[in-house]
Amino acid sequence: MPILLLDRRLEPQRIDGFADQGISALDDSTALPGPAVIVEAVDPAPKAADHTRESRQITGLIASRPLACREQHGDWVEIDTEAADHWTQMTDDLRRRLIDDTQASLDVNEFKQATDGASTSIITNNWVYSGSPRVYRIAGRLRDFVAVLGDLTRG
């Protein structure tokens, strides 16, 4: 699967050798200073003829496996495997809800779906919970990625 960089240009750019070189290889690239994400794309050429170019690019990449992100003028941050797994296990509707509001709450069923049935009592660096019944929110690298992706979608 292709590794793609998505920045403010919203035109995905193929990155060669990401796995071998790591994100430090991008420091001198043509990438804009941020926000930007690097994903392992499921569909390198999304098809959505009735959408704008920007909407088409983001829609096609939203379910892609996140590898790294950076905020405006920030450093590249690698996305851990657990956060990437949780992102790809979410539904498109849940992903969009989180992109629109990184503080959005998930109920127990949404949490279990996003974490492939993980125990609701096991909390990692990518989730926090509160209340009774429990509600969950994204945290850590997963929240970082979603926040940057949200910045990109809002332009």
Side-chain angles (χ1 to χ4, degrees):
M1 290 185 229
I3 306 297
L4 302 174
L5 168 71
L6 182 64
D7 58 20
R8 289 253 188 238
R9 293 173 282 209
L10 298 175
E11 194 64 40
Q13 301 168 52
R14 185 179 289 264
I15 299 172
D16 296 323
F18 175 81
D20 298 327
Q21 300 173 23
I23 52 180
S24 62
L26 294 173
D27 291 338
D28 296 326
S29 74
T30 60
L32 297 176
V37 296
I38 299 172
V39 297
E40 183 176 30
V42 175
D43 181 4
K47 295 169 181 66
D50 59 337
H51 291 79
T52 65
R53 183 191 78 168
E54 291 82 5
S55 173
R56 181 174 58 248
Q57 298 302 347
I58 291 169
T59 299
L61 294 173
I62 194 172
S64 297
R65 185 173 185 80
L67 299 175
C69 66
R70 82 170 162 194
E71 296 177 339
Q72 182 74 24
H73 301 292
D75 294 328
W76 284 106
V77 175
E78 289 191 63
I79 306 302
D80 61 86
T81 301
E82 179 183 87
D85 287 348
H86 292 177
W87 181 252
T88 59
Q89 291 164 177
M90 291 180 195
T91 63
D92 282 344
D93 289 339
L94 180 53
R95 286 185 202 107
R96 290 187 188 286
R97 195 169 96 214
L98 292 172
I99 288 169
D100 290 342
D101 178 10
T102 58
Q103 295 298 313
S105 297
L106 283 72
D107 64 26
V108 170
N109 291 331
E110 291 172 317
F111 173 80
K112 283 184 165 281
Q113 189 270 324
T115 59
D116 198 24
S119 169
T120 56
S121 63
I122 297 175
I123 298 299
T124 66
N125 292 333
N126 295 304
W127 297 95
V128 294
Y129 69 88
S130 62
S132 180
R134 286 187 178 173
V135 292
Y136 298 83
R137 288 187 177 78
I138 56 173
R141 297 288 188 229
L142 182 56
R143 185 180 185 288
D144 294 345
F145 171 75
V146 173
V148 172
L149 193 56
D151 287 345
L152 285 171
T153 63
R154 289 185 284 280

